[in-house]
Amino acid sequence: VGQENQISFFMKDGRALDDFSPGRYTLSTQNLPLFAKLIGVPFGKSPFRTYVYFLSTKTFINLGWGTPSPVLFRDKDFKAVNVRAHGGYSIRVTKPRVFLSTLVGTRGLETTFDLQNFFRSIIVSQFIDSLGEQIDSILDLAKYYQEIAIAVKKASFEAFEQYGIELVDLLIEAITVPEDVQLMINRATGIAAQDPERYRAIATADALRDA
């Protein structure tokens, strides 16, 4: 029996075979043509083992992502800065057969914990790449914050799509740096409006002094 917003799939040997929309069904060779063809005998004449997956097609909201450990960012002023980030995202399975074939059948991801870890790794990877593409100094983080968020969302959308998943929304709630780096940034920010070049020079001098 498939509930509302559910699609059920018969899986055998890592392959997604026959599928059913919500409702109650009595199984037979007539409504399991792919499965019956695979086992090569009339349904009900020979024992077999299979798996049935019930896949929800609703939108899953308020999922969290974050860097499990600090990410090393190559900074032209500070040389190297450990960066952390976290946020939220929402997804929806739009191509159930692709989802099952790529993540369940090929990668063997079956639990919510495994799937969320995999999704988080995708987003973190795209965040790291997008951060390096958008800025070359952490001093410019505030200025290009929105551009970074847009770039991460776009890249992650394309990455999720190959697994039959639509990334409905993605937010970056915070990008943080170590406290000592933040203090340098705050010190330089005090004169940034009057003299942007001196702003960068002060922050660079602090970094070199500490090094």
Side-chain angles (χ1 to χ4, degrees):
V1 179
Q3 304 298 320
E4 192 67 29
N5 295 322
Q6 275 188 347
I7 296 178
S8 53
F9 277 86
F10 274 78
M11 294 278 292
K12 184 172 175 59
D13 300 329
R15 293 174 57 187
L17 300 174
D18 300 285
D19 60 272
F20 298 88
S21 56
R24 181 183 295 273
Y25 298 89
T26 300
L27 302 180
S28 69
T29 51
Q30 281 69 42
N31 56 18
L32 284 172
L34 295 178
F35 191 85
K37 181 180 179 180
L38 179 66
I39 64 176
V41 295
F43 181 78
K45 298 295 184 179
S46 177
F48 57 85
R49 174 174 292 184
T50 185
Y51 294 92
V52 179
Y53 286 88
F54 293 89
L55 187 61
S56 176
T57 56
K58 72 176 184 179
T59 299
F60 292 88
I61 62 175
N62 297 327
L63 303 176
W65 69 272
T67 50
S69 57
V71 175
L72 187 63
F73 175 71
R74 299 294 181 182
D75 189 285
K76 76 173 186 178
D77 295 316
F78 296 97
K79 306 308 178 186
V81 178
N82 285 323
V83 178
R84 286 182 177 272
H86 69 270
Y89 67 101
S90 302
I91 58 172
R92 178 173 59 241
V93 177
T94 54
K95 298 177 181 178
R97 190 175 295 275
V98 174
F99 173 82
L100 287 173
S101 297
T102 56
L103 295 185
V104 178
T106 302
R107 292 181 175 269
L109 304 178
E110 297 183 343
T111 67
T112 300
F113 178 80
D114 289 338
L115 286 168
Q116 288 189 342
N117 277 344
F118 180 69
F119 297 153
R120 181 184 65 185
S121 70
I122 292 177
I123 297 173
V124 170
S125 175
Q126 300 305 326
F127 166 75
I128 296 172
D129 291 344
S130 299
L131 185 65
E133 292 171 357
Q134 296 297 317
I135 62 174
D136 54 18
S137 173
I138 208 70
L139 296 173
D140 296 325
L141 181 60
K143 181 179 179 181
Y144 293 101
Y145 202 99
Q146 186 63 26
E147 285 81 356
I148 295 170
I150 293 173
V152 174
K153 183 176 180 179
K154 182 177 183 297
S156 298
F157 181 93
E158 296 171 353
F160 273 80
E161 196 172 32
Q162 64 181 310
Y163 299 108
I165 304 170
E166 177 189 358
L167 181 63
V168 178
D169 198 14
L170 186 146
L171 300 173
I172 297 179
E173 295 175 0
I175 302 175
T176 59
V177 297
E179 184 177 359
D180 55 340
V181 176
Q182 187 61 56
L183 289 174
M184 296 178 194
I185 295 175
N186 292 343
R187 178 168 176 256
T189 303
I191 60 168
Q194 290 75 29
D195 193 339
E197 290 302 320
R198 191 181 172 207
Y199 158 54
R200 187 178 295 276
I202 289 177
T204 304
D206 283 342
L208 292 174
R209 178 199 64 203
D210 291 347

